[in-house]
Amino acid sequence: MTDITIIGTGNMARGLAARAVAGGNSVQILAHGDKAKADALAAEFTGQVSTGVLGDAITGSIVIPAVYFDAAKDIVARYGDSLDGKVYVDITNPVDFSTFEGLSVPAGSSAAEELQKTTGAKVVKAFNTTFAAALGAGKVAGQPLDVLVAGDDDDAVAAVAAFASAAGLTPIMVGPLRRARQLEQTGFLNILLSANEQLPQFQWNSALRFVPAA
């Protein structure tokens, strides 16, 4: 069985694949429709990387769709009970792009919680506060990235934390899946900073870092 399946071939998929390979994992990359895109992305890495297209059997024990929230919902529906028991990492920030003033999930919920309602996978929220370029490098300004992790299943959370740690990142377990509500608001704030041209120091190249007391 593959260690990690990444669905998508964009910048976040690239960053996640870089960290997965750096951590010594076998990786499956599934493109949305054009397998050549998955092949091209896989060619950027050395290691055990296989490719396919959306709809192919998922071979990873950890599944990370590197897609927007609406696409994530479609993926969960498409794969149905074949996701049961797998660790599903939700990286989405469900921004309401019609207003860019908030999130497009019900009040008192989160994208991760909404996905958990529809799948037998073990949903874990992580990587939604890290930008793609930073993931590719594994650090910003010489500092390793913090990966904030929320989930209700202890084994699933531990698996995601182990993946992050092996990839050279610093996992921080923030609590149950409902903490995804705070993580998604934090991710949205990070996006707002980078989308603001009046803040040139925050242009998709920054990172959140929690510094513990000595």
Side-chain angles (χ1 to χ4, degrees), residues 35-112:
K35 185 175 180 293
K37 291 183 178 180
D39 293 338
L41 180 55
E44 297 180 18
F45 307 106
T46 58
Q48 188 177 344
V49 183
S50 61
T51 61
V53 295
L54 187 63
D56 289 351
I58 289 174
T59 60
S61 57
I62 298 176
V63 183
I64 314 178
V67 299
Y68 290 111
F69 179 44
D70 285 344
K73 291 187 285 187
D74 291 341
I75 288 169
V76 166
R78 175 189 286 257
Y79 280 100
D81 58 13
S82 66
L83 290 173
D84 289 1
K86 291 185 181 294
V87 178
Y88 179 109
V89 182
D90 173 39
I91 73 167
T92 66
N93 288 303
V95 177
D96 183 348
F97 290 107
S98 66
T99 64
F100 217 61
E101 288 293 335
L103 304 181
S104 60
V105 289
S109 189
S110 64

Side-chain angles (χ1 to χ4, degrees), residues 94-178:
V95 177
D96 183 348
F97 290 107
S98 66
T99 64
F100 217 61
E101 288 293 335
L103 304 181
S104 60
V105 289
S109 189
S110 64
E113 291 169 285
E114 293 302 301
L115 291 171
Q116 185 65 91
K117 293 175 183 177
T118 64
T119 180
K122 303 169 184 177
V123 177
V124 175
K125 190 76 184 187
F127 296 103
N128 74 298
T129 59
T130 54
F131 289 138
L135 272 178
K139 58 184 64 177
V140 170
Q143 297 290 316
L145 301 182
D146 286 345
V147 178
L148 309 180
V149 185
D152 290 335
D153 185 282
D154 290 345
D155 290 339
V157 169
V160 175
F163 160 48
S165 183
L169 312 177
T170 304
I172 300 176
M173 278 61 78
V174 302
L177 194 62
R178 64 179 181 272

